[in-house]
Amino acid sequence: MTVGQQKAWDRHWSELGSEVTELPEGPLDTTSWFGRTAPVVLEIGSGMGETTAQLAAAQPDVNYLAVEVYKPGLAQLMLRAEHLGVTNLRLLRGDAIVLLREHVEPASLSEVRIYFPDPWPKKRHHKRRLVQTASVELIASRLRPGGVLHLATDWENYAEQMMEVCTAEPALRNRFADAPGGWAPRPEWRPVTKFENRAHDEGRVVHDLIFERV
């Protein structure tokens, strides 16, 4: 970590963060952690936090959870949140699937966001991709009725895999099923990331998918 990231970690992690492996057994008590009851949004894979900090700042009325494995990324996110005066953000370091399976109650999330997950572009590595049948089934079970799963990727065949898997999940409904290809229009409120800019520069199309828990 950089000096600034380490200082941010030392200042904020004990209050704002937790290791998934160190959580108490059972559901995460978000009401106590945030000090209030509010809709819970979970972002899986917050990276360096450039999008996450802005999204949390733009939605002060939600309890925003970000789960990420990369420690410097979480430290950078805390720096960004500090700069923006964000108070409704909590961070978890570790495996999102373990978090969802063991520490998130069914029908408790208002939204799950997965933006530009690792595409594992080689075909033999596709089984490592986050968005698979089992993970989508798990995510859907944790969304409240009407809750949203929002995905974005710049890899064409991963977008197609996401669409196939989410469409096949009976607990989800595509909000934009009538749109060409079923793709959602890019929401203006989702900040443009460096990954998205790079994708445009390299000629890759970014696809958004927005599904709703039925």
Side-chain angles (χ1 to χ4, degrees):
M1 292 198 289
T2 66
V3 172
Q5 288 169 350
Q6 185 63 57
K7 287 182 177 179
W9 187 274
D10 294 341
R11 279 197 304 273
H12 300 301
W13 182 251
S14 61
E15 177 190 359
L16 302 182
S18 181
E19 300 280 345
V20 172
T21 55
E22 295 175 0
L23 291 173
E25 284 190 19
L28 181 65
D29 186 353
T30 55
T31 300
S32 293
W33 201 9
F34 285 89
R36 66 177 187 174
T37 300
V40 179
V41 173
L42 174 65
E43 183 177 340
I44 298 175
S46 52
M48 297 302 289
E50 57 181 332
T51 295
T52 309
Q54 294 178 61
L55 290 172
Q59 292 182 285
D61 56 329
V62 307
N63 291 343
Y64 206 106
L65 287 172
V67 58
E68 169 64 51
V69 297
Y70 186 51
K71 187 174 179 178
L74 289 167
Q76 188 66 38
L77 172 53
M78 288 188 285
L79 270 178
R80 297 180 194 273
E82 183 180 52
H83 176 71
L84 293 172
V86 172
T87 59
N88 62 322
L89 176 66
R90 301 293 182 269
L91 316 178
L92 292 148
R93 181 170 179 244
D95 189 327
I97 298 301
V98 173
L99 174 69
L100 285 161
R101 188 176 60 237
E102 300 181 8
H103 301 290
V104 176
E105 288 187 291
S108 64
L109 300 176
S110 65
E111 187 166 355
V112 173
R113 295 170 173 172
I114 306 173
Y115 299 149
F116 304 96
D118 192 328
W120 292 103
K122 294 180 180 178
K123 190 167 185 178
R124 68 177 183 274
H125 292 154
H126 285 187
K127 62 180 180 289
R128 300 184 185 181
R129 288 175 168 174
L130 172 62
V131 182
Q132 308 273 1
T133 299
S135 60
V136 168
E137 180 182 7
L138 176 61
I139 289 167
S141 74
R142 269 47 182 170
L143 287 169
R144 62 169 176 74
V148 169
L149 172 59
H150 184 186
L151 309 167
T153 183
D154 57 317
W155 287 85
E156 184 75 25
N157 70 358
Y158 199 3
E160 292 168 354
Q161 176 181 325
M162 290 174 172
M163 182 64 75
E164 181 180 347
V165 169
C166 291
T167 301
E169 171 49 55
L172 295 175
R173 177 184 70 85
N174 188 349
R175 281 190 173 176
F176 294 91
D178 294 334
W183 308 114
R186 188 197 184 286
E188 292 184 2
W189 51 260
R190 180 170 65 72
V192 178
T193 67
K194 65 180 180 182
F195 292 106
E196 193 163 358
N197 281 325
R198 186 186 306 157
H200 289 311
D201 291 344
E202 295 176 0
R204 292 196 301 277
V205 176
V206 173
H207 290 291
D208 281 78
L209 299 83
I210 299 179
F211 280 74
E212 178 182 303
R213 178 75 160 88
V214 296

